[in-house]
Amino acid sequence: MISDHLGLTLLIFALAALLALWFWKSKVGNVDRRRDKFAEGLRAIVMGERRKAIKILRETAIEDTSNAEAFILIGDLAREEIGPRKALQIHHSVADRKTLTKAERVRVSKSLAVDYAQMGDHEMSADILERTLKDSKDPWIKDFLLEELEKLGRWEEAFDLLSSSKNAVANKPQLALYKVMMGNSAAESEKYHNARVLFKDAIRLDNECPSAFMRIGDAYYAEGRLTEAVEWWKKFCEKFPKIGWTCFERLERAYYDLSDYGSMITFYGELLAAHEDDFHARGALSRLFERMGRLNDAIATLKASENLPIELELSLLGLLKRRDDIGGDAGELIAKITSRSGTKYSFTCKECGCITGEPAWYCWDCGAWNSFGI
């Protein structure tokens, strides 16, 4: 009797064990199947098959609603295929979950920041990134936050963030540019002394920062301190001879205000003595002589070089025409061409094509640095 009960008990235990084993294998099989499907979705992303990836990841998410990464990826793909608003809706639904791990919360926060940035809400994007940076040292977060702070013109925060980097020495040129942008903001508020302090801070960080030298002169000129403005603009031209021409108009304006065109002529002469192939200086000096009515000096300045670029050759021919050294229809045509070749310059961003009439080192349209070729 006891043996019968024992046999029945053992049978029950055996059946229970088999049932448990079946449930375990079924569960493991489901997990493996979901993992395979998720991996298939990832492969579709890698292959660029976005719509296929969305379909597979949706199936994965339906089977396993706890797979936060699947939902996040669906949102990322929706941003590309549908738009950032749809992505934002999906990512917020994930972010609202109370069961997210720290890594998952960081991951969805990164996606939310991109969503808001693409919608043009850089304030919200930066706010999310700043909060996320407290929980993660992911360099992507810092880099993207810097981009957002730049778009917002929050230069002090960008400076502080980049200063905290371990690679501070290598970042000095960029830190100097941030100081310049901070100085520009101060100058726009007519705080010219503060602006100059910031520009000089930039030079201490990077003595090869041309915009800082130029802007110090601008700040002095704005206060009517012409002599100091000229001093700094001349430093700019001498230190950066290849782009010194971008300051010529500033210098001529200041010397005109000082009623001292003679010093401008002397300065151009000094530049040409140091760099006789400085055709910007040669052309500027010739045009200055022309405006002063000194036609022969304007012609002599150009004739002093045997290898003039085509623009200056046309200018020379135009001057000769005015002096009646050449004539006929050809001379009139040359004069017409010359009259259209003005002395104004424009600067074009190599990244987005934005055009500005002033020397620039940062493109507000696309956020590129040093993209204007100066």
Side-chain angles (χ1 to χ4, degrees), residues 342-367:
T343 62
K344 297 290 184 182
Y345 294 95
S346 62
F347 306 88
T348 303
C349 175
K350 295 177 182 177
E351 297 297 325
C352 70
C354 171
I355 299 174
T356 176
E358 280 289 310
W361 284 265
Y362 176 72
C363 179
W364 281 100
D365 279 19
C366 70

mmCIF file with all atom_site columns, all heavy atoms in Angstrom, residues 342-367:
data_model
loop_
_atom_site.group_PDB
_atom_site.id
_atom_site.type_symbol
_atom_site.label_atom_id
_atom_site.label_alt_id
_atom_site.label_comp_id
_atom_site.label_asym_id
_atom_site.label_entity_id
_atom_site.label_seq_id
_atom_site.pdbx_PDB_ins_code
_atom_site.Cartn_x
_atom_site.Cartn_y
_atom_site.Cartn_z
_atom_site.occupancy
_atom_site.B_iso_or_equiv
_atom_site.pdbx_formal_charge
_atom_site.auth_seq_id
_atom_site.auth_comp_id
_atom_site.auth_asym_id
_atom_site.auth_atom_id
_atom_site.pdbx_PDB_model_num
ATOM 1   N N   . GLY A 1 342 ? 34.257 95.232 -59.091 1.00 0.00 ? 342 GLY A N   1
ATOM 2   C CA  . GLY A 1 342 ? 34.341 96.103 -57.928 1.00 0.00 ? 342 GLY A CA  1
ATOM 3   C C   . GLY A 1 342 ? 35.386 95.641 -56.940 1.00 0.00 ? 342 GLY A C   1
ATOM 4   O O   . GLY A 1 342 ? 36.009 94.596 -57.090 1.00 0.00 ? 342 GLY A O   1
ATOM 5   N N   . THR A 1 343 ? 35.557 96.418 -55.905 1.00 0.00 ? 343 THR A N   1
ATOM 6   C CA  . THR A 1 343 ? 36.559 96.103 -54.890 1.00 0.00 ? 343 THR A CA  1
ATOM 7   C C   . THR A 1 343 ? 35.944 95.385 -53.699 1.00 0.00 ? 343 THR A C   1
ATOM 8   O O   . THR A 1 343 ? 36.628 95.100 -52.746 1.00 0.00 ? 343 THR A O   1
ATOM 9   C CB  . THR A 1 343 ? 37.232 97.399 -54.410 1.00 0.00 ? 343 THR A CB  1
ATOM 10  O OG1 . THR A 1 343 ? 36.238 98.238 -53.815 1.00 0.00 ? 343 THR A OG1 1
ATOM 11  C CG2 . THR A 1 343 ? 37.876 98.121 -55.567 1.00 0.00 ? 343 THR A CG2 1
ATOM 12  N N   . LYS A 1 344 ? 34.644 95.138 -53.736 1.00 0.00 ? 344 LYS A N   1
ATOM 13  C CA  . LYS A 1 344 ? 33.989 94.455 -52.626 1.00 0.00 ? 344 LYS A CA  1
ATOM 14  C C   . LYS A 1 344 ? 34.236 92.952 -52.723 1.00 0.00 ? 344 LYS A C   1
ATOM 15  O O   . LYS A 1 344 ? 34.295 92.380 -53.810 1.00 0.00 ? 344 LYS A O   1
ATOM 16  C CB  . LYS A 1 344 ? 32.478 94.729 -52.642 1.00 0.00 ? 344 LYS A CB  1
ATOM 17  C CG  . LYS A 1 344 ? 32.115 96.195 -52.441 1.00 0.00 ? 344 LYS A CG  1
ATOM 18  C CD  . LYS A 1 344 ? 32.406 96.643 -51.027 1.00 0.00 ? 344 LYS A CD  1
ATOM 19  C CE  . LYS A 1 344 ? 31.962 98.082 -50.795 1.00 0.00 ? 344 LYS A CE  1
ATOM 20  N NZ  . LYS A 1 344 ? 32.280 98.544 -49.439 1.00 0.00 ? 344 LYS A NZ  1
ATOM 21  N N   . TYR A 1 345 ? 34.364 92.330 -51.583 1.00 0.00 ? 345 TYR A N   1
ATOM 22  C CA  . TYR A 1 345 ? 34.571 90.892 -51.543 1.00 0.00 ? 345 TYR A CA  1
ATOM 23  C C   . TYR A 1 345 ? 33.429 90.239 -50.778 1.00 0.00 ? 345 TYR A C   1
ATOM 24  O O   . TYR A 1 345 ? 32.816 90.855 -49.906 1.00 0.00 ? 345 TYR A O   1
ATOM 25  C CB  . TYR A 1 345 ? 35.902 90.560 -50.851 1.00 0.00 ? 345 TYR A CB  1
ATOM 26  C CG  . TYR A 1 345 ? 37.113 91.032 -51.616 1.00 0.00 ? 345 TYR A CG  1
ATOM 27  C CD1 . TYR A 1 345 ? 37.707 92.255 -51.322 1.00 0.00 ? 345 TYR A CD1 1
ATOM 28  C CD2 . TYR A 1 345 ? 37.651 90.259 -52.634 1.00 0.00 ? 345 TYR A CD2 1
ATOM 29  C CE1 . TYR A 1 345 ? 38.817 92.694 -52.026 1.00 0.00 ? 345 TYR A CE1 1
ATOM 30  C CE2 . TYR A 1 345 ? 38.763 90.684 -53.344 1.00 0.00 ? 345 TYR A CE2 1
ATOM 31  C CZ  . TYR A 1 345 ? 39.344 91.910 -53.033 1.00 0.00 ? 345 TYR A CZ  1
ATOM 32  O OH  . TYR A 1 345 ? 40.437 92.334 -53.734 1.00 0.00 ? 345 TYR A OH  1
ATOM 33  N N   . SER A 1 346 ? 33.160 89.009 -51.115 1.00 0.00 ? 346 SER A N   1
ATOM 34  C CA  . SER A 1 346 ? 32.187 88.236 -50.350 1.00 0.00 ? 346 SER A CA  1
ATOM 35  C C   . SER A 1 346 ? 32.852 86.934 -49.930 1.00 0.00 ? 346 SER A C   1
ATOM 36  O O   . SER A 1 346 ? 33.855 86.515 -50.507 1.00 0.00 ? 346 SER A O   1
ATOM 37  C CB  . SER A 1 346 ? 30.930 87.957 -51.181 1.00 0.00 ? 346 SER A CB  1
ATOM 38  O OG  . SER A 1 346 ? 31.249 87.178 -52.319 1.00 0.00 ? 346 SER A OG  1
ATOM 39  N N   . PHE A 1 347 ? 32.278 86.307 -48.914 1.00 0.00 ? 347 PHE A N   1
ATOM 40  C CA  . PHE A 1 347 ? 32.854 85.095 -48.355 1.00 0.00 ? 347 PHE A CA  1
ATOM 41  C C   . PHE A 1 347 ? 31.767 84.024 -48.347 1.00 0.00 ? 347 PHE A C   1
ATOM 42  O O   . PHE A 1 347 ? 30.661 84.259 -47.862 1.00 0.00 ? 347 PHE A O   1
ATOM 43  C CB  . PHE A 1 347 ? 33.372 85.358 -46.937 1.00 0.00 ? 347 PHE A CB  1
ATOM 44  C CG  . PHE A 1 347 ? 34.325 86.524 -46.873 1.00 0.00 ? 347 PHE A CG  1
ATOM 45  C CD1 . PHE A 1 347 ? 33.855 87.817 -46.690 1.00 0.00 ? 347 PHE A CD1 1
ATOM 46  C CD2 . PHE A 1 347 ? 35.685 86.328 -47.024 1.00 0.00 ? 347 PHE A CD2 1
ATOM 47  C CE1 . PHE A 1 347 ? 34.722 88.899 -46.650 1.00 0.00 ? 347 PHE A CE1 1
ATOM 48  C CE2 . PHE A 1 347 ? 36.565 87.399 -46.983 1.00 0.00 ? 347 PHE A CE2 1
ATOM 49  C CZ  . PHE A 1 347 ? 36.083 88.686 -46.798 1.00 0.00 ? 347 PHE A CZ  1
ATOM 50  N N   . THR A 1 348 ? 32.098 82.868 -48.896 1.00 0.00 ? 348 THR A N   1
ATOM 51  C CA  . THR A 1 348 ? 31.122 81.789 -49.053 1.00 0.00 ? 348 THR A CA  1
ATOM 52  C C   . THR A 1 348 ? 31.498 80.593 -48.195 1.00 0.00 ? 348 THR A C   1
ATOM 53  O O   . THR A 1 348 ? 32.642 80.128 -48.235 1.00 0.00 ? 348 THR A O   1
ATOM 54  C CB  . THR A 1 348 ? 31.034 81.350 -50.530 1.00 0.00 ? 348 THR A CB  1
ATOM 55  O OG1 . THR A 1 348 ? 30.708 82.485 -51.340 1.00 0.00 ? 348 THR A OG1 1
ATOM 56  C CG2 . THR A 1 348 ? 29.968 80.281 -50.708 1.00 0.00 ? 348 THR A CG2 1
ATOM 57  N N   . CYS A 1 349 ? 30.531 80.105 -47.426 1.00 0.00 ? 349 CYS A N   1
ATOM 58  C CA  . CYS A 1 349 ? 30.753 78.914 -46.603 1.00 0.00 ? 349 CYS A CA  1
ATOM 59  C C   . CYS A 1 349 ? 30.906 77.696 -47.508 1.00 0.00 ? 349 CYS A C   1
ATOM 60  O O   . CYS A 1 349 ? 30.047 77.423 -48.349 1.00 0.00 ? 349 CYS A O   1
ATOM 61  C CB  . CYS A 1 349 ? 29.588 78.711 -45.636 1.00 0.00 ? 349 CYS A CB  1
ATOM 62  S SG  . CYS A 1 349 ? 29.698 77.173 -44.683 1.00 0.00 ? 349 CYS A SG  1
ATOM 63  N N   . LYS A 1 350 ? 31.995 76.954 -47.327 1.00 0.00 ? 350 LYS A N   1
ATOM 64  C CA  . LYS A 1 350 ? 32.251 75.781 -48.153 1.00 0.00 ? 350 LYS A CA  1
ATOM 65  C C   . LYS A 1 350 ? 31.305 74.628 -47.836 1.00 0.00 ? 350 LYS A C   1
ATOM 66  O O   . LYS A 1 350 ? 31.151 73.710 -48.638 1.00 0.00 ? 350 LYS A O   1
ATOM 67  C CB  . LYS A 1 350 ? 33.699 75.313 -47.951 1.00 0.00 ? 350 LYS A CB  1
ATOM 68  C CG  . LYS A 1 350 ? 34.738 76.311 -48.438 1.00 0.00 ? 350 LYS A CG  1
ATOM 69  C CD  . LYS A 1 350 ? 36.146 75.826 -48.140 1.00 0.00 ? 350 LYS A CD  1
ATOM 70  C CE  . LYS A 1 350 ? 37.186 76.847 -48.584 1.00 0.00 ? 350 LYS A CE  1
ATOM 71  N NZ  . LYS A 1 350 ? 38.565 76.412 -48.242 1.00 0.00 ? 350 LYS A NZ  1
ATOM 72  N N   . GLU A 1 351 ? 30.667 74.685 -46.660 1.00 0.00 ? 351 GLU A N   1
ATOM 73  C CA  . GLU A 1 351 ? 29.791 73.588 -46.254 1.00 0.00 ? 351 GLU A CA  1
ATOM 74  C C   . GLU A 1 351 ? 28.367 73.744 -46.778 1.00 0.00 ? 351 GLU A C   1
ATOM 75  O O   . GLU A 1 351 ? 27.754 72.782 -47.227 1.00 0.00 ? 351 GLU A O   1
ATOM 76  C CB  . GLU A 1 351 ? 29.769 73.474 -44.722 1.00 0.00 ? 351 GLU A CB  1
ATOM 77  C CG  . GLU A 1 351 ? 31.111 73.142 -44.098 1.00 0.00 ? 351 GLU A CG  1
ATOM 78  C CD  . GLU A 1 351 ? 31.634 71.788 -44.525 1.00 0.00 ? 351 GLU A CD  1
ATOM 79  O OE1 . GLU A 1 351 ? 30.811 70.878 -44.713 1.00 0.00 ? 351 GLU A OE1 1
ATOM 80  O OE2 . GLU A 1 351 ? 32.861 71.635 -44.673 1.00 0.00 ? 351 GLU A OE2 1
ATOM 81  N N   . CYS A 1 352 ? 27.827 74.981 -46.704 1.00 0.00 ? 352 CYS A N   1
ATOM 82  C CA  . CYS A 1 352 ? 26.410 75.147 -47.060 1.00 0.00 ? 352 CYS A CA  1
ATOM 83  C C   . CYS A 1 352 ? 26.158 76.208 -48.125 1.00 0.00 ? 352 CYS A C   1
ATOM 84  O O   . CYS A 1 352 ? 25.033 76.362 -48.589 1.00 0.00 ? 352 CYS A O   1
ATOM 85  C CB  . CYS A 1 352 ? 25.587 75.472 -45.808 1.00 0.00 ? 352 CYS A CB  1
ATOM 86  S SG  . CYS A 1 352 ? 25.899 77.127 -45.130 1.00 0.00 ? 352 CYS A SG  1
ATOM 87  N N   . GLY A 1 353 ? 27.208 76.977 -48.511 1.00 0.00 ? 353 GLY A N   1
ATOM 88  C CA  . GLY A 1 353 ? 27.033 77.987 -49.542 1.00 0.00 ? 353 GLY A CA  1
ATOM 89  C C   . GLY A 1 353 ? 26.558 79.333 -49.044 1.00 0.00 ? 353 GLY A C   1
ATOM 90  O O   . GLY A 1 353 ? 26.305 80.241 -49.839 1.00 0.00 ? 353 GLY A O   1
ATOM 91  N N   . CYS A 1 354 ? 26.437 79.501 -47.733 1.00 0.00 ? 354 CYS A N   1
ATOM 92  C CA  . CYS A 1 354 ? 26.027 80.791 -47.167 1.00 0.00 ? 354 CYS A CA  1
ATOM 93  C C   . CYS A 1 354 ? 27.039 81.868 -47.560 1.00 0.00 ? 354 CYS A C   1
ATOM 94  O O   . CYS A 1 354 ? 28.247 81.650 -47.508 1.00 0.00 ? 354 CYS A O   1
ATOM 95  C CB  . CYS A 1 354 ? 25.933 80.675 -45.647 1.00 0.00 ? 354 CYS A CB  1
ATOM 96  S SG  . CYS A 1 354 ? 25.683 82.251 -44.799 1.00 0.00 ? 354 CYS A SG  1
ATOM 97  N N   . ILE A 1 355 ? 26.546 83.051 -47.968 1.00 0.00 ? 355 ILE A N   1
ATOM 98  C CA  . ILE A 1 355 ? 27.415 84.144 -48.410 1.00 0.00 ? 355 ILE A CA  1
ATOM 99  C C   . ILE A 1 355 ? 27.290 85.317 -47.447 1.00 0.00 ? 355 ILE A C   1
ATOM 100 O O   . ILE A 1 355 ? 26.189 85.712 -47.066 1.00 0.00 ? 355 ILE A O   1
ATOM 101 C CB  . ILE A 1 355 ? 27.046 84.599 -49.836 1.00 0.00 ? 355 ILE A CB  1
ATOM 102 C CG1 . ILE A 1 355 ? 27.215 83.438 -50.824 1.00 0.00 ? 355 ILE A CG1 1
ATOM 103 C CG2 . ILE A 1 355 ? 27.901 85.786 -50.262 1.00 0.00 ? 355 ILE A CG2 1
ATOM 104 C CD1 . ILE A 1 355 ? 26.749 83.755 -52.228 1.00 0.00 ? 355 ILE A CD1 1
ATOM 105 N N   . THR A 1 356 ? 28.431 85.879 -47.058 1.00 0.00 ? 356 THR A N   1
ATOM 106 C CA  . THR A 1 356 ? 28.449 87.050 -46.189 1.00 0.00 ? 356 THR A CA  1
ATOM 107 C C   . THR A 1 356 ? 29.437 88.068 -46.733 1.00 0.00 ? 356 THR A C   1
ATOM 108 O O   . THR A 1 356 ? 30.420 87.701 -47.386 1.00 0.00 ? 356 THR A O   1
ATOM 109 C CB  . THR A 1 356 ? 28.833 86.668 -44.740 1.00 0.00 ? 356 THR A CB  1
ATOM 110 O OG1 . THR A 1 356 ? 28.940 87.856 -43.949 1.00 0.00 ? 356 THR A OG1 1
ATOM 111 C CG2 . THR A 1 356 ? 30.169 85.940 -44.695 1.00 0.00 ? 356 THR A CG2 1
ATOM 112 N N   . GLY A 1 357 ? 29.174 89.323 -46.492 1.00 0.00 ? 357 GLY A N   1
ATOM 113 C CA  . GLY A 1 357 ? 30.072 90.374 -46.951 1.00 0.00 ? 357 GLY A CA  1
ATOM 114 C C   . GLY A 1 357 ? 31.172 90.690 -45.963 1.00 0.00 ? 357 GLY A C   1
ATOM 115 O O   . GLY A 1 357 ? 32.070 91.472 -46.254 1.00 0.00 ? 357 GLY A O   1
ATOM 116 N N   . GLU A 1 358 ? 31.113 90.085 -44.781 1.00 0.00 ? 358 GLU A N   1
ATOM 117 C CA  . GLU A 1 358 ? 32.111 90.324 -43.741 1.00 0.00 ? 358 GLU A CA  1
ATOM 118 C C   . GLU A 1 358 ? 32.923 89.056 -43.489 1.00 0.00 ? 358 GLU A C   1
ATOM 119 O O   . GLU A 1 358 ? 32.389 87.950 -43.589 1.00 0.00 ? 358 GLU A O   1
ATOM 120 C CB  . GLU A 1 358 ? 31.425 90.740 -42.437 1.00 0.00 ? 358 GLU A CB  1
ATOM 121 C CG  . GLU A 1 358 ? 31.015 92.204 -42.386 1.00 0.00 ? 358 GLU A CG  1
ATOM 122 C CD  . GLU A 1 358 ? 32.221 93.124 -42.257 1.00 0.00 ? 358 GLU A CD  1
ATOM 123 O OE1 . GLU A 1 358 ? 33.077 92.894 -41.388 1.00 0.00 ? 358 GLU A OE1 1
ATOM 124 O OE2 . GLU A 1 358 ? 32.309 94.071 -43.050 1.00 0.00 ? 358 GLU A OE2 1
ATOM 125 N N   . PRO A 1 359 ? 34.204 89.196 -43.155 1.00 0.00 ? 359 PRO A N   1
ATOM 126 C CA  . PRO A 1 359 ? 34.986 88.003 -42.790 1.00 0.00 ? 359 PRO A CA  1
ATOM 127 C C   . PRO A 1 359 ? 34.312 87.264 -41.639 1.00 0.00 ? 359 PRO A C   1
ATOM 128 O O   . PRO A 1 359 ? 33.871 87.883 -40.673 1.00 0.00 ? 359 PRO A O   1
ATOM 129 C CB  . PRO A 1 359 ? 36.336 88.587 -42.355 1.00 0.00 ? 359 PRO A CB  1
ATOM 130 C CG  . PRO A 1 359 ? 36.411 89.923 -43.010 1.00 0.00 ? 359 PRO A CG  1
ATOM 131 C CD  . PRO A 1 359 ? 35.002 90.434 -43.065 1.00 0.00 ? 359 PRO A CD  1
ATOM 132 N N   . ALA A 1 360 ? 34.215 85.963 -41.748 1.00 0.00 ? 360 ALA A N   1
ATOM 133 C CA  . ALA A 1 360 ? 33.533 85.172 -40.719 1.00 0.00 ? 360 ALA A CA  1
ATOM 134 C C   . ALA A 1 360 ? 34.291 83.876 -40.482 1.00 0.00 ? 360 ALA A C   1
ATOM 135 O O   . ALA A 1 360 ? 34.895 83.323 -41.396 1.00 0.00 ? 360 ALA A O   1
ATOM 136 C CB  . ALA A 1 360 ? 32.095 84.876 -41.138 1.00 0.00 ? 360 ALA A CB  1
ATOM 137 N N   . TRP A 1 361 ? 34.235 83.419 -39.239 1.00 0.00 ? 361 TRP A N   1
ATOM 138 C CA  . TRP A 1 361 ? 34.900 82.161 -38.881 1.00 0.00 ? 361 TRP A CA  1
ATOM 139 C C   . TRP A 1 361 ? 33.894 81.118 -38.403 1.00 0.00 ? 361 TRP A C   1
ATOM 140 O O   . TRP A 1 361 ? 34.251 79.989 -38.154 1.00 0.00 ? 361 TRP A O   1
ATOM 141 C CB  . TRP A 1 361 ? 35.958 82.417 -37.807 1.00 0.00 ? 361 TRP A CB  1
ATOM 142 C CG  . TRP A 1 361 ? 37.192 83.049 -38.373 1.00 0.00 ? 361 TRP A CG  1
ATOM 143 C CD1 . TRP A 1 361 ? 38.328 82.404 -38.779 1.00 0.00 ? 361 TRP A CD1 1
ATOM 144 C CD2 . TRP A 1 361 ? 37.416 84.434 -38.646 1.00 0.00 ? 361 TRP A CD2 1
ATOM 145 N NE1 . TRP A 1 361 ? 39.242 83.301 -39.281 1.00 0.00 ? 361 TRP A NE1 1
ATOM 146 C CE2 . TRP A 1 361 ? 38.711 84.565 -39.207 1.00 0.00 ? 361 TRP A CE2 1
ATOM 147 C CE3 . TRP A 1 361 ? 36.657 85.589 -38.474 1.00 0.00 ? 361 TRP A CE3 1
ATOM 148 C CZ2 . TRP A 1 361 ? 39.252 85.785 -39.591 1.00 0.00 ? 361 TRP A CZ2 1
ATOM 149 C CZ3 . TRP A 1 361 ? 37.195 86.810 -38.858 1.00 0.00 ? 361 TRP A CZ3 1
ATOM 150 C CH2 . TRP A 1 361 ? 38.473 86.901 -39.405 1.00 0.00 ? 361 TRP A CH2 1
ATOM 151 N N   . TYR A 1 362 ? 32.624 81.514 -38.291 1.00 0.00 ? 362 TYR A N   1
ATOM 152 C CA  . TYR A 1 362 ? 31.570 80.578 -37.880 1.00 0.00 ? 362 TYR A CA  1
ATOM 153 C C   . TYR A 1 362 ? 30.353 80.827 -38.754 1.00 0.00 ? 362 TYR A C   1
ATOM 154 O O   . TYR A 1 362 ? 29.951 81.977 -38.965 1.00 0.00 ? 362 TYR A O   1
ATOM 155 C CB  . TYR A 1 362 ? 31.205 80.795 -36.407 1.00 0.00 ? 362 TYR A CB  1
ATOM 156 C CG  . TYR A 1 362 ? 30.054 79.936 -35.923 1.00 0.00 ? 362 TYR A CG  1
ATOM 157 C CD1 . TYR A 1 362 ? 30.225 78.570 -35.722 1.00 0.00 ? 362 TYR A CD1 1
ATOM 158 C CD2 . TYR A 1 362 ? 28.800 80.490 -35.671 1.00 0.00 ? 362 TYR A CD2 1
ATOM 159 C CE1 . TYR A 1 362 ? 29.177 77.775 -35.282 1.00 0.00 ? 362 TYR A CE1 1
ATOM 160 C CE2 . TYR A 1 362 ? 27.747 79.702 -35.227 1.00 0.00 ? 362 TYR A CE2 1
ATOM 161 C CZ  . TYR A 1 362 ? 27.941 78.346 -35.029 1.00 0.00 ? 362 TYR A CZ  1
ATOM 162 O OH  . TYR A 1 362 ? 26.898 77.560 -34.596 1.00 0.00 ? 362 TYR A OH  1
ATOM 163 N N   . CYS A 1 363 ? 29.786 79.755 -39.301 1.00 0.00 ? 363 CYS A N   1
ATOM 164 C CA  . CYS A 1 363 ? 28.606 79.883 -40.155 1.00 0.00 ? 363 CYS A CA  1
ATOM 165 C C   . CYS A 1 363 ? 27.352 79.659 -39.322 1.00 0.00 ? 363 CYS A C   1
ATOM 166 O O   . CYS A 1 363 ? 27.125 78.558 -38.804 1.00 0.00 ? 363 CYS A O   1
ATOM 167 C CB  . CYS A 1 363 ? 28.655 78.871 -41.306 1.00 0.00 ? 363 CYS A CB  1
ATOM 168 S SG  . CYS A 1 363 ? 27.202 78.975 -42.387 1.00 0.00 ? 363 CYS A SG  1
ATOM 169 N N   . TRP A 1 364 ? 26.528 80.707 -39.202 1.00 0.00 ? 364 TRP A N   1
ATOM 170 C CA  . TRP A 1 364 ? 25.301 80.590 -38.419 1.00 0.00 ? 364 TRP A CA  1
ATOM 171 C C   . TRP A 1 364 ? 24.263 79.728 -39.127 1.00 0.00 ? 364 TRP A C   1
ATOM 172 O O   . TRP A 1 364 ? 23.335 79.217 -38.492 1.00 0.00 ? 364 TRP A O   1
ATOM 173 C CB  . TRP A 1 364 ? 24.717 81.979 -38.149 1.00 0.00 ? 364 TRP A CB  1
ATOM 174 C CG  . TRP A 1 364 ? 25.416 82.704 -37.048 1.00 0.00 ? 364 TRP A CG  1
ATOM 175 C CD1 . TRP A 1 364 ? 26.372 83.670 -37.164 1.00 0.00 ? 364 TRP A CD1 1
ATOM 176 C CD2 . TRP A 1 364 ? 25.239 82.499 -35.638 1.00 0.00 ? 364 TRP A CD2 1
ATOM 177 N NE1 . TRP A 1 364 ? 26.798 84.083 -35.920 1.00 0.00 ? 364 TRP A NE1 1
ATOM 178 C CE2 . TRP A 1 364 ? 26.113 83.385 -34.969 1.00 0.00 ? 364 TRP A CE2 1
ATOM 179 C CE3 . TRP A 1 364 ? 24.433 81.659 -34.885 1.00 0.00 ? 364 TRP A CE3 1
ATOM 180 C CZ2 . TRP A 1 364 ? 26.193 83.455 -33.580 1.00 0.00 ? 364 TRP A CZ2 1
ATOM 181 C CZ3 . TRP A 1 364 ? 24.508 81.725 -33.502 1.00 0.00 ? 364 TRP A CZ3 1
ATOM 182 C CH2 . TRP A 1 364 ? 25.381 82.611 -32.867 1.00 0.00 ? 364 TRP A CH2 1
ATOM 183 N N   . ASP A 1 365 ? 24.404 79.551 -40.440 1.00 0.00 ? 365 ASP A N   1
ATOM 184 C CA  . ASP A 1 365 ? 23.416 78.756 -41.169 1.00 0.00 ? 365 ASP A CA  1
ATOM 185 C C   . ASP A 1 365 ? 23.588 77.256 -40.934 1.00 0.00 ? 365 ASP A C   1
ATOM 186 O O   . ASP A 1 365 ? 22.609 76.532 -40.747 1.00 0.00 ? 365 ASP A O   1
ATOM 187 C CB  . ASP A 1 365 ? 23.502 79.049 -42.672 1.00 0.00 ? 365 ASP A CB  1
ATOM 188 C CG  . ASP A 1 365 ? 22.763 80.325 -43.049 1.00 0.00 ? 365 ASP A CG  1
ATOM 189 O OD1 . ASP A 1 365 ? 22.509 81.141 -42.132 1.00 0.00 ? 365 ASP A OD1 1
ATOM 190 O OD2 . ASP A 1 365 ? 22.447 80.512 -44.233 1.00 0.00 ? 365 ASP A OD2 1
ATOM 191 N N   . CYS A 1 366 ? 24.849 76.784 -40.962 1.00 0.00 ? 366 CYS A N   1
ATOM 192 C CA  . CYS A 1 366 ? 25.058 75.335 -40.837 1.00 0.00 ? 366 CYS A CA  1
ATOM 193 C C   . CYS A 1 366 ? 25.890 74.950 -39.623 1.00 0.00 ? 366 CYS A C   1
ATOM 194 O O   . CYS A 1 366 ? 26.048 73.765 -39.333 1.00 0.00 ? 366 CYS A O   1
ATOM 195 C CB  . CYS A 1 366 ? 25.708 74.774 -42.106 1.00 0.00 ? 366 CYS A CB  1
ATOM 196 S SG  . CYS A 1 366 ? 27.434 75.271 -42.340 1.00 0.00 ? 366 CYS A SG  1
ATOM 197 N N   . GLY A 1 367 ? 26.446 75.944 -38.907 1.00 0.00 ? 367 GLY A N   1
ATOM 198 C CA  . GLY A 1 367 ? 27.206 75.643 -37.699 1.00 0.00 ? 367 GLY A CA  1
ATOM 199 C C   . GLY A 1 367 ? 28.644 75.227 -37.940 1.00 0.00 ? 367 GLY A C   1
ATOM 200 O O   . GLY A 1 367 ? 29.320 74.782 -37.012 1.00 0.00 ? 367 GLY A O   1
#
